[in-house]
Amino acid sequence: MHAVRNVIILVILCVSGCATSLVRGGLSMSSDRWDVSLVKLAAGPDQYLTAGGVKVPRNGRRYVWGTVRIRNALKTDQVFRLDRFYLHHGKKRIKPCVIDMNAFVSMRAPAAPKLRPGETVTRRMAYAMPPGNLPERLTYENWEIIIPAGR
């Protein structure tokens, strides 16, 4: 029992020590249909651990993790396409390669959740960025959030 607890503590320390926070806090965008907040943006960790195995970025890239909070502002159900949240660096537009439920345990989230009126969800997405590049903005549809760390 103690061995399992020690392994869990070691894994948490290793994973939490591998990320550099780029943004923490309330960067927001909204429309008459939704409100979106970029809660956190971090460079790393460069792996996604699940019960099915480990996913790592390819070709020397590294993961930039964005945590977004989305609220449906309509009085009807609405589908959100999480795979249309893009990070931009220069002229490059990068779509998420991992969409996670943002829970204690890593769990893939559906790319197009249906939110009830007033419902809010938080999701974590990984973007495979070239090393040394920082994202300048996050876009969804025709809206954007400027990321101060990337400028």
Side-chain angles (χ1 to χ4, degrees):
M1 183 62 132
H2 291 292
V4 171
R5 181 186 59 141
N6 290 342
V7 168
I8 291 172
I9 290 171
L10 181 62
V11 167
I12 290 171
L13 289 174
C14 287
V15 170
S16 65
C18 299
T20 302
S21 188
L22 302 173
V23 171
R24 270 196 181 278
L27 298 176
S28 307
M29 60 182 160
S30 62
S31 77
D32 57 341
R33 299 180 306 134
W34 46 259
D35 299 308
V36 172
S37 294
L38 178 60
V39 177
K40 181 179 179 183
L41 189 69
D46 291 330
Q47 57 186 348
Y48 180 64
L49 305 168
T50 65
V54 178
K55 182 176 174 99
V56 295
R58 59 180 174 77
N59 299 334
R61 294 176 179 260
R62 86 172 292 199
Y63 283 150
V64 171
W65 292 89
T67 305
V68 296
R69 182 175 299 120
I70 306 158
R71 186 181 75 80
N72 180 4
L74 292 178
K75 294 181 181 183
T76 60
D77 290 355
Q78 184 176 186
V79 173
F80 286 86
R81 296 293 311 265
L82 300 177
D83 56 350
R84 292 186 184 162
F85 279 88
Y86 297 104
L87 280 182
H88 297 260
H89 174 73
K91 295 191 183 292
K92 295 204 185 270
R93 182 176 83 165
I94 302 165
K95 76 183 286 184
C97 52
V98 172
I99 300 172
D100 183 75
M101 294 291 286
N102 194 39
F104 181 72
V105 177
S106 296
M107 190 175 2
R108 290 278 193 155
K114 182 188 276 188
L115 274 61
R116 293 181 309 271
E119 183 179 3
T120 300
V121 296
T122 303
R123 296 293 182 259
R124 192 169 67 120
M125 296 177 278
Y127 299 84
M129 299 275 302
N133 292 324
L134 295 176
E136 297 167 353
R137 57 197 168 101
L138 173 76
T139 60
Y140 180 68
E141 295 180 346
N142 295 324
W143 303 85
E144 71 179 4
I145 294 175
I146 303 296
I147 300 169
R151 293 226 170 246

